[in-house]
Amino acid sequence: MFSKEQVKLLQNITNSQHPKITLITCSDSRVDMNYFKLDAIDKVFTIRNIWNVILTSEWSVDYGVEHLETPILFILAHTNCGAVNAALTEYHHCTPDIKRELDHLMPALVDLEEKEDFHKKWVEGVEKNLELQIKIAEDKFKTRIEAGKLTIIGAVLDIDNSYGEGLGKIHIKKIVWKDDIDIDLDI
């Protein structure tokens, strides 16, 4: 059941949407909009897939960035990601469909160094994939970035305290933007 305020909002946005953020994040049920303490209705165009991969949801990302013209593309990874674990340990036992999804992740994992502590390798895999997704977005939306129409934010949601700063903290890893614009995060 919606509150009176939500009903009024929904009546005002019935025919169009006006999000400020295109968010691509993991399908993991532990990644939730409540971390943002934000009512996301008409503010966040959300795309979810395993391991926040742009190429497997390219049309949806294009829709948010190009058609809805969101000024922010937020790529949110998370620690303790099951897809990273599967890619690092169980790939050969996965179904063909899961392997197809994981194949998009493998370039990020190629240069991972062997570590005695698997958890550190796991976190590094999450970060390497985030770097890859940011690079893909930078290349894809270069014109929008240079025109000052798009800012890319890459971050990791720490759901298991891997960074030692507490559960549920969001760690910004990279921001790509035209340096002479102001970013309006008033959402």
Side-chain angles (χ1 to χ4, degrees), residues 25-31 48-53 56 76-92 94 97-109 112 118 121-127 129 133 159:
T25 192
C26 188
S27 299
D28 192 303
S29 62
R30 298 168 293 178
V31 178
R48 296 179 77 143
N49 61 43
I50 64 169
W51 212 16
N52 46 276
V53 175
T56 61
L76 182 64
H78 69 93
T79 58
N80 202 11
C81 180
V84 176
N85 186 36
L88 292 174
T89 63
E90 305 166 12
Y91 180 83
H92 298 292
C94 293
D97 290 333
I98 292 174
K99 283 182 181 178
R100 231 181 340 272
E101 289 287 318
L102 293 177
D103 285 344
H104 292 281
L105 317 175
M106 299 316 260
L109 302 178
L112 282 183
F118 177 77
K121 183 176 180 178
W122 194 356
V123 171
E124 184 180 351
V126 167
E127 292 174 347
N129 178 60
Q133 301 313 312
I159 65 171

Side-chain angles (χ1 to χ4, degrees), residues 25-125:
T25 192
C26 188
S27 299
D28 192 303
S29 62
R30 298 168 293 178
V31 178
D32 189 85
M33 290 307 299
N34 290 325
Y35 285 110
F36 296 97
K37 298 182 177 29
L38 163 73
D39 178 1
I41 296 174
D42 201 38
K43 295 177 183 146
V44 181
F45 182 74
T46 305
I47 303 151
R48 296 179 77 143
N49 61 43
I50 64 169
W51 212 16
N52 46 276
V53 175
I54 288 178
L55 295 178
T56 61
S57 298
E58 196 165 7
W59 293 354
S60 295
V61 176
D62 283 357
Y63 188 82
V65 171
E66 301 284 357
H67 180 75
L68 297 176
E69 298 181 347
T70 58
I72 298 170
L73 173 58
F74 189 14
I75 305 168
L76 182 64
H78 69 93
T79 58
N80 202 11
C81 180
V84 176
N85 186 36
L88 292 174
T89 63
E90 305 166 12
Y91 180 83
H92 298 292
H93 300 292
C94 293
T95 67
D97 290 333
I98 292 174
K99 283 182 181 178
R100 231 181 340 272
E101 289 287 318
L102 293 177
D103 285 344
H104 292 281
L105 317 175
M106 299 316 260
L109 302 178
V110 168
D111 295 327
L112 282 183
E113 295 177 18
E114 280 302 316
K115 296 190 180 332
E116 217 169 282
D117 181 351
F118 177 77
H119 188 78
K120 287 181 181 177
K121 183 176 180 178
W122 194 356
V123 171
E124 184 180 351

Side-chain angles (χ1 to χ4, degrees), residues 161-172:
N161 200 25
S162 288
Y163 294 101
E165 296 177 17
L167 296 170
K169 301 276 186 181
I170 296 173
H171 297 266
I172 304 293

